[in-house]
Amino acid sequence: MKYDFETVIKRYNTGSFKWDEMAAHGVNESQDIIPFSVADMEFVTAPEIVEAIKHELDTSILGYSAPTEKYLAAVCEWFKTRHGWDAKPEWILPSHGVVDAFFMAVRAFTDEGEGVILNTPVYYPMYSAIKNQNRKLIDNPLINTGKRYEIDFEDLERKAADPDTKLLILCSPHNPCGRVWTRDELIKTGEICLKNDIIIVSDEIHCDLIMSGHKHTVFASISKEFADNCVVCTAPSKTFNIAGLQTSNIFIPNPKLREKFLSVLTLSNPHPKCNILGYRAAEAAYKNCASWLDGALKVIEENKNLIVNFMAREFPCVKISELEGTYLLWLDLRGLGLNYKELEHRNHEQAKLFFDEGYVFGSQGEGFERWNLACPTRCIKDALERFKTAYRN
Ligand SMILES: Cc1ncc(COP(=O)(O)O)c(C=O)c1O
């Protein structure tokens, strides 16, 4: 089937975070401008997902619903065929979101005052999960080689050795740096954590968004020891652009860790469950939408190449981290000579470009922008023209 990756649906007044933010800066319906910030896609929903939701509405009642065996089997089958991971349905706990899940994991596996490691810069709610719950942020800054970001294992080793450090939240693939951690990097990380009794929460929400030439490794698939020491957070929300349906699958292979997590989950939600339309959409997506995803990835890669080639030609001072995974390109704009506030202002007010500002991912992100590439290619072409005009001088 030929899917539509070209139509733009303007999401003004729908409550869309990123469209509302753009509208607050004076952009309106009459302009052909889309935002490139928050990580959802500007692609129309796959028809298989729309059909599954319509079918549910036509034939069912929207009552309380647990995940069905068929649903859980479809989730596991996806991980088996796409990632070679033999996961069991009984490992899965429901969560409305991956953010909810890593907040809960912090409560389940650490006490107040204990340390949680992050590889920074990183997806900003991870900082909140630590700080808002009175845990201690243990910063393991990534090393920017200029081409890509790498884990500082010496620093990790040192910080993991503190007996008060109990958890590492791994962003895999990494948002915003675009890394798909190699199996070797994951093994090194996993071994350091095992040695120091640190549990790993592996946020793998971007695991299906992998660029050609790279391969995602599910952390728990590496060994039984690793599986028993981790929580793997997944969701169909980024992969198939259904974040608004709030249906995530949290895999916890170790029954003891699962019980602990469940005890936090059930504190405020005695019968954990997601949303019936989310379940139906996710099942349809995992069963029938692999080729939609492949089509979306092609467009994302083409969009990335357009930007990389444009910057190399027109603004060689702009450095771009290699995009290995996610649809979020990480651009270092410090070479343009503006401070990060001036950059934000110029983007918003002159270029009408709305990215996620790099500084929200941590202080190392000042002067960087995160560009969401999941949109029709013509939107990227238009944006590059606006960029050129705004920065030509
Ligand atoms: C790394 C990462 N984790 C989690 C989320 C959000 O997860 P959810 O919407 O399921 O809470 C995002 C969204 O951008 C993300 O990039």
Side-chain angles (χ1 to χ4, degrees), residues 4 8 17 45-46 54 65 80 86 91 102-103 129 148 196 199 202 249 265 269 271 295 329 343 372 375 378 384 392:
D4 178 3
V8 171
F17 291 162
T45 311
K54 281 187 179 161
S65 300
K80 174 93 184 129
D86 238 331
W91 296 348
F102 60 64
F103 266 72
R148 66 174 200 172
N196 292 287
I199 295 170
S202 188
N249 299 301
L265 179 59
N269 185 2
H271 301 289
L329 193 64
L343 197 62
N372 182 335
C375 63
R378 73 174 167 79
L384 290 174
R392 198 165 22 206

Side-chain angles (χ1 to χ4, degrees), residues 50-255:
V50 175
E51 276 316 306
I53 294 175
K54 281 187 179 161
H55 178 76
E56 191 64 26
L57 292 175
D58 287 342
T59 59
S60 179
I61 287 173
L62 304 178
Y64 292 117
S65 300
T68 61
E69 274 178 30
K70 264 180 13 191
Y71 167 80
L72 295 170
V75 176
C76 291
E77 184 56 29
W78 175 267
F79 281 93
K80 174 93 184 129
T81 49
R82 201 93 188 175
H83 299 287
W85 182 38
D86 238 331
K88 306 276 177 287
E90 60 271 22
W91 296 348
I92 300 177
L93 293 177
S95 171
H96 290 132
V98 164
V99 171
D100 299 42
F102 60 64
F103 266 72
M104 283 187 279
V106 167
R107 284 207 292 289
F109 304 121
T110 66
D111 289 323
E112 290 203 6
E114 289 183 333
V116 181
I117 304 175
L118 290 182
N119 308 111
T120 61
V122 77
Y123 180 53
Y124 46 90
M126 291 178 177
Y127 296 101
S128 313
I130 299 168
K131 291 183 179 163
N132 297 1
Q133 304 190 102
N134 302 322
R135 271 63 175 179
K136 192 164 150 204
L137 169 65
I138 309 295
D139 193 1
N140 174 221
L142 294 168
I143 299 168
N144 182 1
T145 67
K147 246 191 113 198
R148 66 174 200 172
Y149 284 74
E150 293 177 358
I151 295 172
D152 183 341
F153 286 107
E154 273 179 28
D155 182 65
L156 179 61
E157 198 75 76
R158 238 186 348 266
K159 290 176 176 164
D162 180 340
D164 283 340
T165 302
K166 301 290 185 197
L167 197 72
L168 182 151
I169 306 179
L170 183 70
C171 195
S172 174
H174 193 276
N175 169 14
C177 302
R179 278 301 314 278
V180 174
W181 305 116
T182 62
R183 196 179 166 83
D184 278 354
E185 287 170 312
L186 293 173
I187 290 176
K188 269 194 190 167
T189 305
E191 281 174 350
I192 292 173
C193 288
L194 268 182
K195 191 169 89 187
N196 292 287
D197 287 327
I198 291 172
I199 295 170
I200 293 190
V201 174
S202 188
D203 176 344
E204 303 192 18
I205 197 167
H206 294 280
C207 68
D208 301 314
L209 298 153
I210 305 299
M211 297 299 112
S212 46
H214 298 277
K215 185 177 174 345
H216 175 77
T217 303
V218 176
F219 182 79
S221 73
I222 294 173
S223 70
K224 165 111 176 62
E225 268 185 309
F226 280 16
D228 279 342
N229 193 43
C230 76
V231 170
V232 179
C233 302
T234 77
S237 50
K238 300 280 163 219
T239 309
F240 301 107
N241 202 32
I242 51 175
L245 290 171
Q246 299 187 317
T247 301
S248 309
N249 299 301
I250 312 305
F251 290 82
I252 312 182
N254 180 335

Side-chain angles (χ1 to χ4, degrees), residues 358-373:
Y359 61 80
V360 305
F361 302 93
S363 56
Q364 304 102 305
E366 289 175 8
F368 291 67
E369 301 286 353
R370 193 192 74 171
W371 189 330
N372 182 335
L373 305 174

